Amino acid sequence: MAQAALNRLGNLSAVLAVGTFTVSQCLFNVDGGERVVMFDSLRGGVRDKVIGEGTHFMIPIVQRPITMDVRTKAREIPSMTGTKDLQMVSIKLRVLWRPIIEQLPRLYRELGTDYDERVLPSIGNEVLKAVVAQYNAEELLSKRAEVSERIKREIMKRASHFHLTLDDVAITHLTFGREFMKAIEAKQVASQEAERQQWVVKRAEQERQAVVTRAEGEAEAAAIITQAMEKTGSAIVEVRRIDAAKEIAGKLANSRNVVYLPSMGGGAGSDGGGSSGGGGSLLLGIDTK
């Protein structure tokens, strides 16, 4: 009796174990940010239906779920290409991409699960070389936003052929060759030298105009003096002489090193009667150091 119960319990345990294993093999989970493409060996391979998140049923051995990530990912695409004026430029492009969910079965049939490694580098280099070749080196710097927008438009068009969509495309790195950098430096130096020469020319022109203006003023002053002398004779010369004497006297009066010596020959002249102007007053500059 006990032996029969143990046998039944063992059989039940075996059935439960087989049932649990079978159920576990018949169920699969799809996590967030993922989708599943089902491969069915009895119905012609990959099915067209895309299975979303959650727990789903499948037939073991006959069906095989293929999990594919549909989250947005970032990828950097480097490229060395030439510009319109034959300058070599190193450029890096950052793209945010993700697969088109509705096209996952077709994407898996054509490219497999490593589609990003096959598609993005090739179309990225192709678009970069095609777009950069239409601009000069200087235009890549001055029109960077336009170039980036054009690259984005072209690469999104090419990616749609491979069932991919791009959320953002941006140029993150742009470096020119050593020869071009030397040419840029030489051009900057030449531009600065040209600006300096223009400044020198403007300064010389201003100085010339100042000399001309000064000469015209002196000529007008001379003409005015000549006219005044013609009208008043030598009176204006006497006025100028008196003004000059006043100025000299004022300067001598403020100087501490000037000594006045009165004339000592006035009496002798009057006594002798024959020597006029025998002596004069003296102003002596004495060094006090």
Side-chain angles (χ1 to χ4, degrees):
M1 185 74 178
Q3 185 65 32
L6 290 176
N7 290 336
R8 286 195 298 270
L9 182 60
N11 293 333
L12 181 60
S13 299
V15 171
L16 289 176
V18 172
T20 302
F21 176 76
T22 303
V23 170
S24 65
Q25 292 298 312
C26 293
L27 298 178
F28 65 94
N29 293 323
V30 182
D31 296 331
E34 295 179 346
R35 296 294 185 272
V36 164
V37 175
M38 185 65 70
F39 179 84
D40 194 326
S41 58
L42 295 181
R43 292 191 291 177
V46 178
R47 307 303 301 164
D48 292 332
K49 181 181 179 181
V50 178
I51 301 174
E53 301 170 2
T55 301
H56 304 275
F57 177 80
M58 70 174 182
I59 302 174
I61 302 175
V62 176
Q63 293 180 330
R64 176 170 57 90
I66 302 167
T67 303
M68 304 183 73
D69 193 348
V70 296
R71 289 183 286 253
T72 300
K73 298 179 182 178
R75 186 181 182 93
E76 191 174 66
I77 305 173
S79 179
M80 177 68 71
T81 183
T83 62
K84 187 177 181 180
D85 53 352
L86 304 181
Q87 296 292 336
M88 295 305 297
V89 56
S90 174
I91 186 170
K92 288 184 179 180
L93 196 68
R94 180 188 58 83
V95 297
L96 297 178
W97 66 275
R98 55 187 172 84
I100 300 175
I101 296 178
E102 294 78 9
Q103 299 294 330
L104 285 178
R106 187 174 179 182
L107 180 62
Y108 178 76
R109 290 194 198 100
E110 296 176 357
L111 299 171
T113 56
D114 58 343
Y115 52 87
D116 57 326
E117 295 293 338
R118 299 184 182 186
V119 173
L120 291 177
S122 63
I123 66 174
N125 278 278
E126 178 186 352
V127 171
L128 284 175
K129 292 180 184 297
V131 174
V132 171
Q134 301 179 22
Y135 291 89
N136 294 329
E138 294 183 359
E139 291 177 340
L140 291 179
L141 298 175
S142 61
K143 300 180 179 180
R144 182 163 180 166
E146 176 185 336
V147 174
S148 180
E149 182 63 28
R150 187 169 180 179
I151 291 175
K152 178 180 179 180
R153 186 168 59 251
E154 294 296 330
I155 200 172
M156 289 182 68
K157 185 187 300 183
R158 295 284 292 124
S160 63
H161 297 161
F162 297 95
H163 321 299
L164 301 178
T165 182
L166 304 181
D167 295 329
D168 185 57
V169 178
I171 298 175
T172 59
H173 182 75
L174 189 64
T175 304
F176 295 94
R178 184 177 301 176
E179 293 78 8
F180 180 76
M181 298 305 296
K182 290 182 179 179
I184 290 294
E185 293 178 0
K187 183 176 181 180
Q188 291 178 347
V189 172
S191 177
Q192 293 176 357
E193 181 64 21
E195 291 179 358
R196 192 183 73 84
Q197 292 298 331
Q198 291 178 0
W199 178 81
V200 170
V201 171
K202 289 181 180 179
R203 180 179 178 183
E205 180 66 20
Q206 292 176 354
E207 291 179 351
R208 185 188 67 80
Q209 292 179 357
V211 171
V212 171
T213 303
R214 192 180 304 113
E216 291 177 351
E218 292 177 354
E220 291 179 0
I224 294 174
I225 292 175
T226 302
Q227 293 177 1
M229 290 182 65
E230 291 176 353
K231 292 180 180 180
T232 61
S234 61
I236 188 170
V237 177
E238 294 298 329
V239 171
R240 290 291 182 89
R241 185 179 299 171
I242 293 172
D243 291 339
K246 287 182 179 180
E247 183 178 355
I248 294 172
K251 291 182 178 180
L252 293 177
N254 295 327
S255 178
R256 298 180 179 180
N257 301 330
V258 177
V259 177
Y260 174 73
L261 297 179
S263 175
M264 300 299 295
S270 60
D271 293 339
S275 65
S276 62
S281 300
L282 298 178
L283 293 176
L284 299 180
I286 302 176
D287 191 359
T288 58
K289 295 182 179 179

